[in-house]
Amino acid sequence: MAILKGIYKFFSSFLFAAIILILLTIVTLFGTLAQKEMGLHGGVKEFFHSYGYSVFDASPFGIPIKFPLPGGMTLMFLLFISMTLGGVVHVKKRVRGIPNLIIHCGMLFLLVSGYITHNMKRDGYVALYPGTSTNRAQSYKDWQIEVFELGENDEAKQATVIPWENLRPIGDEGSQVFTSKAWPFSVQVENFYRNARPIPTSAPISAEATGPEINGFKLLRRETDKEVAANFPGCFAKIIPADGSDAAAELILSGTSDRISPDDAAMLAGFEFEGKKWGIQLVKRSWEIAFNIELEKFIFEKHPGTTKAKNFESRIIWREDLEDEGKKVAVRMNDPMRQSGFVVFQESYGPPNPGPGEQMYSQFAVSDDPADYFPLIALIIITIGLVAHFVWRLAEYISKSSAKRRAA
Amino acid sequence: MSTKKQIREEASQIEAEEAKGEQGVRIFYLLVCLLLFACLIIASRSAWFLATHASNAKDISTPLESYEPWPESIVENFSNIRVQNGGRIKPAHTFARFALIQVNNSSKARFETQDGEKHKISAEEWMLDVLFRPDLAKDLPFFNVDDTEAIVAIGVPPKYGDSHRKRDRYSYNQIAAKRAELAGESGRITQKRREDPDYQMSRLEGITDRLATNVSFFEYMNGQFGFARKGEGLASDQVLPQDLKLAAQGMDIVGLLDVMPEMTVQQLMQEMGREAATENEKAIQKAFQLFFFFARSGQNLTLIPPPDAAEDQWYGVGDLLMEGLEDKSKRAWVKEELKVVTDIVDSQKAMWTALAELPEDASNDDREAIVKPVAAKFETLVDTQKKEAEERLLAKRDAIDVEIAAADDSLEKQRLQESRAELKMEGAKVEQEVGLYTSSYFMNSLSYFILGFILLAVSWLVPGSKFAKIFGWLAIGVIVLALGYNLLGITMRSIIRSRPPITNLYDTIIFITGVVVLLALMLEYFTRRGIGTIIASLSGVLGMFLSLRYEVKEAVDTMDPLQAVLDTNLWLATHVTTINIGYAAGMLASFLGIAYLLYRFLRPLPVVLKGLTGNGASANTRIFDEPKNVRDNHKLIGKMTYGIVCFCLIFSIIGTVLGGIWANYSWGRFWGWDPKENGALMICLWTLVILHMRMGGYIKDIGMAVFSIILGMIVTFSWWGVNNLGVGLHSYGFTDGVMKALFITWAESILIMACGFPLWLHGRSKDKLKKEKRERKRRDNEVGGDIPPLPGEV
């Protein structure tokens, strides 16, 4: 019991709160510095979304530095504990302490909303040319392998998916066999490169590729880009019969495209197994959104005489049902569309430097976050608490010092 | 049981040890003070260098015999001419100002003529020279070269024959002979950068590249109205060969439009490249080449609005020539517009000739009679631009009204109505903008902050006297005036742009300075000890000086329009303003921390110095022992620091969360761990660290001061440092050399923080002493009698 009491006392102490806050400051500082070399996403993953520990290994000021740091997530959990015990449970329950209690509750709510967002929010994008429509959003960074039987007219039947969570751990040198009830074979995925391109063997650069040649192509591994969306993975796939005999087919799978655009098309690889035609492709993970979006018109204006964007705006028609006439909405920078739990934001456009008369596409970010409005609520709570707390203290101080002055 | 003798022996032994130790402390103390003063001297020297370098070029002589300044009325009218540049309509005054800063590293050009006169001309006068007295402008030394080696590398003879002199200014004519070498060097650098986008230019390459850009800019500006000068004042032979210059003599370039067939630029270039067989063909080809040359030169100064109100892109004279070439139907309009410019060019020339011919004893009226009609031409141009702007606004409104009436789509109708509401007259606030710059609000603010500090310093000469009191009040008055100038400038900038006060990095400097000074004055109001006033004046000087340096260093218009992503007055007014108030409070807390430590650390310096000469207090008096009034003072600074840290916390937390809400609203993510967001988060976290450690009793006043200085370091990192990481949404406003300045600031901060260590040790030993005293009293009671005091005991 004494030990428990001691633990409780420590976790609810100012010292513990201060230690966690100092560590968080240090992790934030070095995580930020590391982003210069690792890219935004790399830094976030390594330092802020990590549970165990991470190693800072960079040369932020031209001096190589290497040392371990606690994981950001772990620290935030500990901060949550510290705030709950020290700021809410352990505090003296008195009127003067109410604002302080409100502040801590607001902060706890903000942390909880951050955790919900971190675990439950889906982020994706939709890129459309005027006149086209979709009801699916794609992931920026997650890929999956889809395997499906092809019908008589090469139409794809129900696909079975090897998800990103299983592909990512394979790594550059690894290999993993996947089986499914839907397949009469198993699929062995080898050398899952985070960024690679299929190169025809006729191209001189193909000499740099180390893997085997398949159907006149080799897979050339490229440096992983700091910007996560700029990586297009590639791997080898072997179709292994159920009896474990030699591979029935060997294929190169690749994400191919160079940019996020509606022109992105998966490189479908086909093979025959036991007389039936099958297709396999490496594609970005995608999911259905609650409605269909059609891009009616894309407006792009620059400040006169400059390349600086003044306004980019998409006129879209959204329909819950394809049969509907639909509703027209304008989506602009700082003016998104919120509908059925999804938020559609004007994110970007392309191609980056369109030639005269070249058609431009509009890119939307699509997210569904169950905690969408939580930060606003948290802010209101925190602001009330902060203002009440400090105004109260200031009033006390001023009245005390003026009383002192009067007495003097 | 102890005897009296034993206690006495013990006490004298402690005294001897303490005295020995104290001697060491004093030597160490003096060394640290020396280091602090060295830092202060280095900082002042750097500030002095930065403040004076604009005029520190030794050789500013020009071969010109004398220099006749531009008549005031012409400068004034020229300033108000509307020019489209950087995506907005601005006064020629602003255009000239930032152009000169870019080329000359200062908003004034200085030179010395052969008659021994020193001249300092404004950016508008310089621009007038470049445009209308091209040959004279080529002899003015205004090309800033930061390192003579860059100029030696392209073969230009260095001034004084010394290739190691750091900064100098050269005229166009001094560089022109090596124009091709400069272009070659710059081309090589461009090639390297093209091949490797991450290529970092060396310092010398940077200087050469900038010089090449500036020389090229000058040539464009110099040739701007070249079409109307009939071959006079043309650039170097390497830009326009001698034979073409000869051909240009007396040639009517606009008149060519009457005879040239309608053709595109590509067709014109083909014609220029074609083999010319006969003399006649050669003459035609030369005419084409000259037409192309003047059309290319005249594109920087876009001062002619398009005839169609639906168009937003204004024309330079060169654009007009091209327009006329490509579209015959527009030639009449083009010629009409160019006639106005030609008329102005001719009248300027005639004016200078007439002024030169005036007898020396000519009256001002005679001069005025010559100048007035010329100034009137600029005035007419400005009036025409205003009238056209009004007409264009009405036409735009009418056009939108027609569109609104025709729109069958409610969404389209709504957008059109919004667009209509946003329509503004082009250049509506040009006069205010000229007023903003000519009134020099920020320069005045800096001057008054300096004056305020000087008045304060004078008041310290006779502390406690009536004289000191008067000067103290005067200082406060002057600082309030300085703050008034700062706030007025910020307000004017907001009005001109119709925006909240902060939209870019430059705005943050003037805004944060204003807030720091305001808060410091408020502290002074509550505490009345003079500490707030010192901090207000010093931070005012520092901030306003930084703002002026930033303007020169970046050399770009600080009121350029915003990127689409930032185009939201709601969030700029809330998140951006709040977070910057948080930054300001963080900086003020750090200044208070510095004041606390330096006050306590440097206070005994005079006593220690006296001790060196044998006149000081005895060695057994410890240097950090403080009388009550000193203790009261630093306790008060500690309280102020605490108050400001709390203030910082409120604004940083609200500002940071508001930023997240903006991000969530606009881009669908509340928090993206973007470096700027992380910077703001670190400020929040560190203020929380300070408050929790203080509440837990882990830090007292010294700790507060040290931790507040760290807070200042975090604020500077977030404010300036993260922009240089080149990562994320907020990586705007890249400024060279910022990291170096930050490192120096941080190193100095660490040194000042180190001063807290001996103070902390002193505090600890005092606590120990108190404990011993209590113990001794206990023993004293047991033994009885007189016992000598312990060393350091007052």
Side-chain angles (χ1 to χ4, degrees), chain A residues 310-336:
Chain A
K310 184 180 175 189
N311 176 37
F312 39 114
E313 170 182 338
S314 299
R315 301 286 177 75
I316 59 174
I317 304 170
W318 69 271
R319 301 177 175 92
E320 277 184 11
D321 196 319
L322 276 176
E323 309 301 313
D324 284 352
E325 194 188 317
K327 282 183 188 159
K328 291 185 178 185
V329 178
V331 177
R332 268 172 289 204
M333 263 286 160
N334 293 310
D335 193 7

Side-chain angles (χ1 to χ4, degrees), chain A residues 15 18 21 32 35 44 61 121 303-306 308-310 313 315 328 332 334 336 345 372 375 390 405, chain B residues 87 313 409 412 415 418 526 561-562 564-565 568 646 662 664-666 668-670 673 678 689 693 698 743:
Chain A
L15 181 66
L21 289 167
T32 309
Q35 283 178 332
V44 171
F61 311 115
K121 182 187 168 196
H303 288 291
T306 67
K308 209 184 258 183
K310 184 180 175 189
E313 170 182 338
R315 301 286 177 75
K328 291 185 178 185
R332 268 172 289 204
N334 293 310
F345 309 90
D372 192 26
F390 288 112
R405 216 178 290 162
Chain B
Q313 177 78 52
D409 179 346
E412 181 67 13
R415 190 189 78 92
E418 281 170 17
F526 287 123
L562 295 176
V565 63
T568 154
C646 294
W662 177 10
N664 189 41
Y665 180 78
S666 297
R669 99 278 185 288
F670 174 74
W673 299 103
N678 295 350
V689 167
M693 288 193 76
Y698 301 105
F743 283 133

Side-chain angles (χ1 to χ4, degrees), chain A residues 13-18 21-22 24-25 28-29 31-33 35-36 39-40 44 48-49 61 76 79 100 104 107 110 121 123 227 296-297 299 301 303-313 315-316 328-330 332-336 338 343 345-346 365 367 369 371-373 375-379 382-383 386-387 389-391 393-394 397-398 401 404-405, chain B residues 84-88 312-314 409 411-412 414-415 418 525-528 560-568 571 636 639-640 642 646-647 649-651 653-655 657-658 660-670 672-676 678-679 681-682 685-686 688-689 691-693 695-698 707 714 717 722 724-729 739 743 746:
Chain A
S13 67
F14 282 120
L15 181 66
F16 180 64
L21 289 167
I22 291 174
L24 263 173
T25 314
T28 312
L29 172 67
T32 309
L33 292 175
Q35 283 178 332
K36 190 177 168 69
L40 194 70
V44 171
F48 305 125
H49 287 171
F61 311 115
M76 281 186 270
L79 182 69
N100 206 350
H104 283 90
M107 292 300 250
L110 191 64
K121 182 187 168 196
D123 262 330
E227 290 311 316
E296 197 192 14
K297 190 178 174 187
I299 299 161
E301 292 169 303
H303 288 291
T306 67
T307 52
K308 209 184 258 183
K310 184 180 175 189
N311 176 37
F312 39 114
E313 170 182 338
R315 301 286 177 75
I316 59 174
K328 291 185 178 185
V329 178
R332 268 172 289 204
M333 263 286 160
N334 293 310
D335 193 7
R338 288 184 142 77
V343 195
F345 309 90
Q346 180 70 60
S367 76
D369 179 6
D372 192 26
Y373 282 106
L376 182 61
I377 299 165
L379 176 74
I382 295 167
T383 309
L386 278 173
V387 172
H389 181 82
F390 288 112
V391 169
R393 293 290 182 281
L394 184 67
Y397 174 77
I398 291 171
S401 47
K404 252 189 205 170
R405 216 178 290 162
Chain B
Q84 188 179 59
N85 176 260
R88 73 180 183 107
D312 280 330
Q313 177 78 52
W314 284 31
D409 179 346
L411 197 68
E412 181 67 13
Q414 187 194 337
R415 190 189 78 92
E418 281 170 17
Y525 175 77
F526 287 123
T527 57
R528 313 276 170 96
D560 271 348
L562 295 176
Q563 291 277 12
V565 63
L566 293 174
D567 188 8
T568 154
W571 295 110
L636 187 70
K639 276 182 189 161
M640 287 187 206
Y642 173 72
C646 294
F647 187 86
L649 178 73
I650 298 178
F651 282 89
I653 286 196
I654 296 177
V657 181
L658 268 176
I661 293 173
W662 177 10
N664 189 41
Y665 180 78
S666 297
W667 313 295
R669 99 278 185 288
F670 174 74
W673 299 103
D674 176 284
K676 200 78 177 177
N678 295 350
L681 175 68
M682 277 157 62
L685 289 170
W686 198 254
L688 288 168
V689 167
L691 297 182
H692 282 81
M693 288 193 76
M695 280 187 284
Y698 301 105
F707 276 49
I714 294 174
F717 174 74
V722 295
N724 281 17
L725 294 176
V727 184
L729 276 172
M739 282 322 279
F743 283 133
W746 293 337

Side-chain angles (χ1 to χ4, degrees), chain B residues 696-752:
Chain B
Y698 301 105
I699 54 168
K700 287 178 186 153
D701 285 351
I702 297 174
M704 271 292 284
V706 169
F707 276 49
S708 301
I709 298 174
I710 298 176
L711 176 64
M713 291 165 77
I714 294 174
V715 172
T716 48
F717 174 74
S718 175
W719 186 7
W720 293 97
V722 295
N723 297 340
N724 281 17
L725 294 176
V727 184
L729 276 172
H730 297 79
S731 64
Y732 47 76
F734 179 84
T735 37
D736 289 333
V738 164
M739 282 322 279
K740 197 177 155 195
L742 280 183
F743 283 133
I744 294 171
T745 314
W746 293 337
E748 286 175 351
S749 300
I750 290 168
L751 182 66
I752 294 170

